[in-house]
Amino acid sequence: MIRKQAYVHKSVMEKLKGIADDIEIPKEDDAFWPPPNQVQQQKLEIIIGDEHISFAKSKIGSLISVNQSKDPESL
């Protein structure tokens, strides 16, 4: 497993919060994304204060697989 965690300056965090709000990440839902499997999966976890957002899906191999998914817009 490859795990990456980052600590950044407050100004960078404010910019990332703005981006997340602009593209409405907190409103997304991974229910229609390809389900993760034991071999290939990708996870995104965002923790800002008391808010915790977590997404999990199978690894995306190409743009075609995104377009053929049940929810390509949010994926």
Side-chain angles (χ1 to χ4, degrees), residues 18-66:
I19 292 170
D21 288 340
D22 287 348
I23 60 176
E24 300 179 333
I25 287 177
K27 295 179 182 178
E28 295 299 338
D29 184 0
D30 61 357
F32 296 109
W33 295 3
N37 60 45
Q38 293 297 325
V39 179
Q40 294 184 334
Q41 59 180 313
Q42 295 176 321
K43 295 181 181 180
L44 172 63
E45 184 175 22
I46 302 171
I47 302 170
I48 302 173
D50 293 335
E51 188 172 11
H52 183 182
I53 303 165
S54 180
F55 300 106
K57 62 171 192 55
S58 64
K59 186 175 178 182
I60 297 174
S62 68
L63 186 56
I64 292 170
S65 61
V66 171

Side-chain angles (χ1 to χ4, degrees), residues 13 46 75:
M13 197 65 218
I46 302 171
L75 188 55

